[in-house]
Amino acid sequence: MKTKLLLCTLFILTALRIQAQDMVRIVRWISPVTGDFESMPEGRHTDAQLQSWGYKTKTYQYSAYKTRPSDPNAIAVYRWTMPNCAASIMFGEHEIPDAKLREWGYKDKEFQFYAYRNKPATGDFVAVNRWINVKPEGDKCRDFTLTVAETEHPDQRLIGYGYSNKMTQFWVPRPGLDMMNRDKPIKDLFVESQLLNPNFELGNLTGWTNTGNGFRVERGDLPMPVSAWGPRTMPLGGDYWQGLTPDFKWNNGRQGEFYASSAGAGTNRAELISSEFRPNKKYITFLMGVNWSGVNWRAADELPKLRVELLVADNGKAIERIVKSQESRGGLIDPKTGRPVTSSLLDRKPVPQTTVDGKSYSIVETVSFTTTNTPSPQQFSRQYLNKYEGICRIRVVDEAANGSILVDDVQVEDTPGAAVSTRSNMPLWGFVDLHTHPMSHLGFGKKLMHGAPDIGSLIPAGTRGCNGSDFRARTIQDALGNCNATHGGWGTDNGCGNYLRAVAISKALDGDFVYNTSHNPFEGGNLHGDHQHAGIEANLKYWPHQTSVSHQQMWWEWIKRAYDGGLRTMVALTVNNELLTEVIDGDVPKDDKTTSDLQIDEIISFVGRHSDFMAIARSSADLRRIVGANKLAVILGVEVDNLGNFHKPGVVCNEATVRAEIQRLYSKGVRYVFPIHLVDNKFGGTAVYEDLFNLANKYATGSLFTVASSTDPTITHRLGSGLDGAGNLSVKAAIDGASGIPFPPAFDAFKCPVPMLGCWDKFKLITGLLTPDAQYARYASTPGGHANSKGLTPIGAFAIAEMMKLGMLIDIDHMSQKSMEMTLDLVKNIPGGYPFNIGHNGLRGTSGNERAVNLATTQRVAALGGMFGVGTADTEAARFIDAAQKVSVAMANRGIAIGTDVNGMEPLPKTSPGLNSTSFYARFTKCKTVWNGGSREWDYTQEGVAHYGLMPDFLQDISLKPGGKPIITNLFSGAEYFARMWEKCEQQKSQVR
């Protein structure tokens, strides 16, 4: 037995020795060619050779086979040179055919090692994965890849560094613990192209090292001159926009609100050193100023001691610069000048070096003022440094005995043009609407909102005299014509009408419309009792109207009038709800993803047709440029129940698909997102506040809301309070009442011999959807106010992180209280946080539902730099002032906007009681729409905000009420705060992990 055991042991040891001899270590180096990682078999070149070529930071990754294992699962792995640069990439022979790689431009195929295509059934093996990191546009190696064994770094770490699209390439034996090097730092390759906190708008020195503690962040200390902010005149007249006193502070030439100053240094040397960054554009620009006072100031001596330096990591070896020098020509004398003859030579000389955090840097460039170009105290001018390849830092130095240096707005830019001129620092002026829906007539199956916003907009099939297909509006009559085909019931004069839709819209969704009609044709009504249909044909007598939410209220001239009245930033959102689409028997597309894509494309086209006064903003810089040019900045956004249709059967919802969908929306121009809307989705729970949405939740998810007793005593709403005595929604009662209406299209010799609406299959489907199931009774046993028990899901947290990594603007409205709190908690560990917005809401008082926001949540949003859009739905000026005052206090009088939800099934504001038209319009121009063949004038004092163009009249009304003027001031500060909020999102995106 011992002999057999000894022989067996010898056999195993021999096999292991052979296997070890047959293995090769795979190591990673940092390439001097691209600055990226490059993996290779150890021994391909000696370490000395590689180091002499500039390779550095060798790291063991895993071990593979030198010779092919005798297993059909074994594959060869080859190295290819990428088509756009000198970087290399590894492909297993099973991944992509050689011919296809060569077709794509890959070249220089070279064998590396052998591995396994799939994980072997026996033995301990680990996966080797390929990750992709999308580099900034303009980089010749557009995407660079990283080959990583799963034993090296956790996925979450790589995702935090910006890598995505993980794909398993092959399998290798698990390395021993002595070989693993998982904690080896690789941060140098993940240095961002932008600085952290480059403009100090976090209000602190986050991202900068304050050596000597002489630097501090200061807020501009000069009040904004009222005469310098806002227009001198307004096209509409009025005085609501005059004499506003914003809470902005400023300095001449300064960007934003905060800047860094060495005023605390005194006579001691002080340094302010940025975090590392890797410039990807040609210039590093910044605003710079100096302060001085007293008789001891000697400009020529002190100015060189107040400077900004560019430091470049040099790995201990000073960077050399080419300089001109003179050499003597053998003692020859120039007879004309009597001076020695010299000639210019080019020479290389090392620049000075310094050490920061134990790391060596070369000081490659320095900027300081001279006695001829120094700005006045407390003023700034823009300076610039030339880009250097590699890892850089900015160092601001004050070693002057007198005076101090001021720095702000450090940027990496393409041209020095912005560098040599002082940017305008005047805060933006204008109010913001965080919530509009210009193309909602293309949502809800294209059959809910009637009317298009301009000539050129898409007119859906079956909405204009039963048109057979979509077409582009050619006239205002096409755009705002009769709504019978969309909203009316079926009849011989309306073959595309729909009784179900007529009842659902007129009796439920638009039940407050003052022009709703009776069922009696002899009293001006019709068979199904919907509403007056005539539009432009009746000189817009009936609609748009303040009491109707189903007719177009964003005709382009009405948006233009809102712009003329001070609107400068507008979030344009897509919208849809699949249950509502089904209830009104809408057309395709019915799903959220396709519907949103259509609306996004149409909004972009719409804005393009009116580029004389508005433009799409895809970045904070766009917004500043557009508003600064006195135009309306439009931000594309998405507000639907299920981003990416992830609730649909067969639609995969994982990190890869969610990331891809968010990137797809971003590529389309979307910058503003609601992760959660009216129903629970894959990302988290929604706010519980209406029973109709509970049924929508069942339709979308298969189950009703799961609620718990709220721990917040201000949440008192209980599910079921919106049901009638039979346990149904009121809309169902209205639909049931229409079941006996004759409906010839429903004829079926067996199922419906006497064709009536009640025996139509669609009617039965919808009444079934609107009937609560027995589970509704469980809500009675849940005491207290009801709050959704669902919070943010893990994939929801991932999705929001992905949005933040792109610098997107995230609206947490509609989230359950639990989802909101979990979302805000995501940024607790990000220095400076990340802004979130609440787009169309109000503060919850002592009672209400979780749709309204509590004080603590609002204060957290304010602290992060977010914005709050005060809802205007069906309000009056006095009530709006009250709501806005409460929000303003919670938001520290900053970041206030309006959230109209125009075209989003919410009524616009009412007029105030007792207004006198003559005095109201004495210095204010009435709204008048004129077209070929007619005109219509609206009187806000009588009609309220019938359409979006009357929002300036509402603001005028607010300004006339007690407490109104400070609210107007806050609102007109909105464009500047929106820009700052967006700038912070873009600035903080690199900190999201």
Side-chain angles (χ1 to χ4, degrees):
M1 185 68 182
K2 290 182 179 180
T3 303
K4 290 183 179 180
L5 182 60
L6 179 59
L7 289 172
C8 182
T9 303
L10 289 171
F11 176 80
I12 292 172
L13 289 173
T14 303
L16 288 173
R17 188 179 302 113
I18 293 171
Q19 184 184 41
Q21 291 172 348
D22 199 33
M23 302 295 288
V24 60
R25 285 163 43 99
I26 309 303
V27 294
R28 178 191 295 120
W29 291 80
I30 296 180
S31 165
V33 178
T34 63
D36 298 340
F37 291 129
E38 186 172 338
S39 297
M40 64 184 72
E42 193 173 43
R44 176 174 146 204
H45 304 285
T46 67
D47 288 2
Q49 283 177 319
L50 289 166
Q51 288 168 345
S52 71
W53 295 336
Y55 284 82
K56 59 183 179 179
T57 318
K58 175 184 177 182
T59 306
Y60 169 78
Q61 292 189 268
Y62 52 88
S63 294
Y65 299 98
K66 287 183 179 179
T67 57
R68 185 186 291 269
S70 56
D71 185 326
N73 187 30
I75 51 97
V77 177
Y78 294 92
R79 173 185 177 274
W80 292 77
T81 300
M82 297 176 71
N84 297 323
C85 59
S88 64
I89 185 171
M90 286 187 183
F91 287 110
E93 61 182 341
H94 62 292
E95 292 188 75
I96 303 171
D98 288 4
K100 180 59 70 175
L101 286 170
R102 290 193 173 96
E103 178 185 330
W104 292 341
Y106 287 86
K107 58 186 178 181
D108 302 329
K109 176 182 177 183
E110 180 183 348
F111 171 76
Q112 301 293 290
F113 51 81
Y114 293 99
Y116 287 109
R117 176 175 185 167
N118 300 306
K119 185 176 183 179
T122 59
D124 195 4
F125 292 83
V126 297
V128 176
N129 304 303
R130 177 189 297 122
W131 293 77
I132 295 177
N133 191 357
V134 178
K135 300 183 80 173
E137 190 170 351
D139 194 301
K140 63 181 180 180
C141 283
R142 183 62 206 279
D143 295 350
F144 76 88
T145 60
L146 184 66
T147 300
V148 185
E150 60 185 350
T151 49
E152 290 189 81
H153 298 282
D155 286 3
Q156 202 58 41
R157 180 185 297 174
L158 293 169
I159 291 169
Y161 289 145
Y163 282 87
S164 61
N165 298 79
K166 173 185 175 183
M167 184 187 74
T168 297
Q169 292 187 270
F170 43 81
W171 295 79
V172 296
R174 181 180 295 276
L177 291 176
D178 59 320
M179 307 274 283
M180 291 169 61
N181 207 357
R182 69 175 70 202
D183 294 321
K184 183 104 178 151
I186 55 174
K187 62 182 181 181
D188 278 4
L189 262 293
F190 304 103
V191 173
E192 300 290 338
S193 60
Q194 299 290 336
L195 286 80
L196 172 61
N197 196 16
N199 51 18
F200 309 102
E201 292 305 301
L202 294 180
N204 54 46
L205 293 175
T206 296
W208 297 76
T209 301
N210 187 9
T211 304
N213 295 319
F215 280 85
R216 64 194 184 203
V217 167
E218 296 186 351
R219 191 180 179 203
D221 55 3
L222 301 177
M224 173 61 62
V226 175
S227 61
W229 188 64
R232 301 291 185 275
T233 61
M234 288 275 279
L236 306 183
D239 55 14
Y240 63 92
W241 49 273
Q242 295 178 348
L244 305 182
T245 54
D247 187 33
F248 298 128
K249 305 293 183 180
W250 72 315
N251 276 309
N252 190 18
R254 184 182 53 75
Q255 189 79 6
E257 185 174 7
F258 298 100
Y259 62 94
S261 166
S262 65
T267 59
N268 299 318
R269 177 185 170 95
E271 295 180 352
L272 186 64
I273 306 172
S274 75
S275 57
E276 291 189 326
F277 67 108
R278 190 189 295 273
N280 63 340
K281 296 179 181 178
K282 294 181 179 180
Y283 301 95
I284 302 154
T285 77
F286 52 94
L287 291 170
M288 178 177 168
V290 294
N291 275 344
W292 71 89
S293 62
V295 296
N296 293 324
W297 170 255
R298 298 290 184 268
D301 297 330
E302 304 286 17
L303 285 174
K305 299 175 182 178
L306 300 170
R307 61 185 182 271
V308 175
E309 300 172 340
L310 178 61
L311 313 182
V312 179
D314 59 18
N315 201 27
K317 183 180 180 181
I319 294 173
E320 294 181 333
R321 169 173 285 164
I322 298 176
V323 297
K324 286 185 177 181
S325 63
Q326 302 287 322
E327 76 164 351
S328 174
R329 299 297 300 275
L332 297 177
I333 301 297
D334 186 334
K336 292 183 179 180
T337 64
R339 296 175 181 174
V341 176
T342 61
S343 63
S344 295
L345 295 176
L346 295 181
D347 197 6
R348 302 179 68 88
K349 293 195 181 284
V351 301
Q353 289 179 283
T354 188
T355 300
V356 179
D357 295 334
K359 187 172 181 178
S360 176
Y361 295 84
S362 290
I363 307 172
V364 298
E365 197 164 347
T366 298
V367 171
S368 61
F369 288 124
T370 67
T371 55
T372 59
N373 70 352
T374 306
S376 301
Q378 289 297 113
Q379 294 187 3
F380 290 76
S381 70
R382 184 154 291 271
Q383 306 294 317
Y384 72 95
L385 297 158
N386 292 288
K387 166 197 170 183
Y388 274 75
E389 297 290 342
I391 297 171
C392 300
R393 289 182 188 261
I394 295 294
R395 182 165 68 175
V396 187
V397 179
D398 177 353
E399 53 185 8
N402 299 284
S404 57
I405 186 170
L406 318 175
V407 175
D408 192 11
D409 196 36
V410 184
Q411 301 293 340
V412 181
E413 300 186 299
D414 281 322
T415 64
V420 297
S421 63
T422 300
R423 292 178 177 174
S424 170
N425 74 305
M426 189 62 64
L428 299 179
W429 175 94
F431 72 93
V432 175
D433 192 344
L434 289 178
H435 209 95
T436 73
H437 299 286
M439 290 292 162
S440 63
H441 72 293
L442 301 177
F444 309 103
K446 304 179 183 178
K447 290 295 194 293
L448 178 51
M449 174 64 64
H450 179 83
D454 76 336
I455 295 171
S457 282
L458 203 61
I459 304 296
T463 62
R464 301 297 189 280
C466 296
N467 52 301
S469 60
D470 295 353
F471 71 94
R472 299 278 172 190
R474 298 151 298 194
T475 63
I476 192 172
Q477 287 75 18
D478 286 341
L480 300 178
N482 191 293
C483 72
N484 189 34
T486 308
H487 291 163
W490 182 90
T492 55
D493 65 333
N494 191 23
C496 56
N498 186 303
Y499 288 124
L500 281 177
R501 188 183 310 132
V503 171
I505 291 175
S506 293
K507 302 306 179 187
L509 300 173
D510 222 358
D512 294 328
F513 187 20
V514 297
Y515 290 112
N516 278 343
T517 62
S518 71
H519 289 274
N520 189 342
F522 299 102
E523 296 178 352
N526 50 42
L527 183 63
H528 41 278
D530 56 6
H531 57 247
Q532 296 290 349
H533 298 138
I536 198 82
E537 305 86 359
N539 282 340
L540 301 179
K541 172 183 177 181
Y542 302 114
W543 58 264
H545 198 277
Q546 189 274 328
T547 60
S548 174
V549 297
S550 64
H551 297 94
Q552 180 61 246
Q553 294 178 302
M554 295 192 76
W555 175 251
W556 75 269
E557 290 176 281
W558 304 333
I559 297 175
K560 174 66 163 56
R561 190 173 188 274
Y563 156 78
D564 287 339
L567 176 68
R568 288 299 180 270
T569 303
M570 183 178 80
V571 178
L573 299 159
T574 68
V575 65
N576 192 52
N577 179 267
E578 293 182 3
L579 173 62
L580 196 49
T581 299
E582 205 62 60
V583 167
I584 65 172
D585 195 26
D587 293 339
V588 293
K590 299 181 180 182
D591 67 281
D592 289 342
K593 181 177 180 179
T594 312
T595 299
S596 271
D597 284 353
L598 176 61
Q599 292 179 57
I600 291 165
D601 294 342
E602 289 298 308
I603 293 171
I604 293 171
S605 297
F606 170 72
V607 173
R609 289 192 293 272
H610 304 284
S611 59
D612 58 318
F613 76 95
M614 59 179 165
I616 301 287
R618 293 177 172 84
S619 67
S620 63
D622 280 353
L623 183 131
R624 285 199 179 275
R625 172 180 52 79
I626 294 165
V627 178
N630 199 32
K631 289 187 177 183
L632 170 62
V634 179
I635 294 88
L636 297 175
V638 175
E639 184 192 35
V640 293
D641 295 335
N642 290 282
L643 287 177
N645 287 349
F646 288 123
H647 66 305
K648 296 284 189 184
V651 178
V652 177
C653 182
N654 58 31
E655 291 185 357
T657 58
V658 168
R659 181 187 293 112
E661 176 60 14
I662 292 169
Q663 181 64 59
R664 187 188 71 84
L665 289 171
Y666 187 87
S667 298
K668 286 182 73 68
V670 172
R671 295 296 182 270
Y672 200 102
V673 183
F674 283 77
I676 299 169
H677 191 212
L678 299 178
V679 302
D680 294 341
N681 62 22
K682 295 292 185 180
F683 298 160
T686 184
V688 169
Y689 67 107
E690 282 192 19
D691 288 281
L692 175 62
F693 300 143
N694 199 7
L695 300 186
N697 195 72
K698 180 182 177 182
Y699 181 74
T701 69
S703 62
L704 297 172
F705 291 136
T706 301
V707 301
S709 299
S710 174
T711 57
D712 185 337
T714 65
I715 295 178
T716 57
H717 174 77
R718 294 177 57 80
L719 276 177
S721 59
L723 303 183
D724 60 23
N728 297 311
L729 289 164
S730 57
V731 64
K732 183 177 185 300
I735 290 175
D736 284 344
S739 62
I741 295 177
F743 187 50
F747 174 77
D748 184 286
F750 299 100
K751 296 180 180 180
C752 196
V754 180
M756 291 183 296
L757 198 59
C759 63
W760 185 32
D761 288 341
K762 178 67 75 171
F763 183 94
K764 295 176 181 178
L765 170 66
I766 291 172
T767 55
L769 289 172
L770 296 177
T771 303
D773 59 23
Q775 291 182 331
Y776 231 91
R778 69 189 180 190
Y779 297 128
S781 62
T782 304
H786 290 170
N788 198 330
S789 62
K790 292 185 177 180
L792 203 63
T793 65
I795 195 67
F798 173 83
I800 291 173
E802 289 299 302
M803 295 172 195
M804 290 192 290
K805 288 177 185 177
L806 293 171
M808 298 180 86
L809 315 179
I810 300 168
D811 200 315
I812 61 175
D813 238 346
H814 287 291
M815 286 186 177
S816 67
Q817 184 66 40
K818 190 173 182 180
S819 293
M820 273 192 182
E821 291 172 355
M822 293 175 71
T823 299
L824 292 168
D825 286 345
L826 290 177
V827 301
K828 275 185 173 181
N829 295 324
I830 297 176
Y834 189 100
F836 295 107
N837 300 318
I838 298 172
H840 58 315
N841 214 322
L843 278 183
R844 187 164 59 241
T846 57
S847 63
N849 55 56
E850 67 173 336
R851 170 71 176 84
V853 190
N854 65 25
L855 176 62
T857 298
T858 305
Q859 290 172 332
R860 291 182 71 181
V861 168
L864 291 169
M867 293 197 72
F868 196 118
V870 183
T872 65
D874 212 27
T875 191
E876 296 174 3
R879 286 195 287 122
F880 178 84
I881 291 170
D882 180 63
Q885 284 174 337
K886 293 173 180 175
V887 170
S888 293
V889 170
M891 293 288 291
N893 289 317
R894 294 176 167 217
I896 308 299
I898 60 172
T900 59
D901 207 356
V902 58
N903 277 10
M905 305 302 116
E906 291 284 3
L908 291 170
K910 301 175 181 178
T911 189
S912 296
L915 285 181
N916 179 275
S917 177
T918 302
S919 60
F920 187 86
Y921 286 110
R923 294 186 298 111
F924 193 62
T925 305
K926 278 188 179 181
C927 177
K928 187 174 184 179
T929 304
V930 180
W931 61 92
N932 185 19
S935 65
R936 166 71 150 97
E937 187 175 72
W938 279 272
D939 187 330
Y940 167 80
T941 69
Q942 305 301 311
E943 303 175 83
V945 181
H947 57 68
Y948 201 53
L950 291 162
M951 285 303 296
D953 307 55
F954 178 60
L955 297 179
Q956 177 73 5
D957 189 2
I958 291 172
S959 72
L960 299 175
K961 298 285 189 293
K965 205 69 172 183
I967 296 301
I968 296 295
T969 297
N970 280 351
L971 290 177
F972 274 81
S973 303
E976 176 63 25
Y977 282 121
F978 191 97
R980 295 182 185 184
M981 176 272 296
W982 199 346
E983 286 165 345
K984 184 174 180 181
C985 290
E986 293 171 333
Q987 174 181 310
Q988 292 295 88
K989 66 182 181 181
S990 63
Q991 303 306 306
V992 180
R993 296 289 182 255

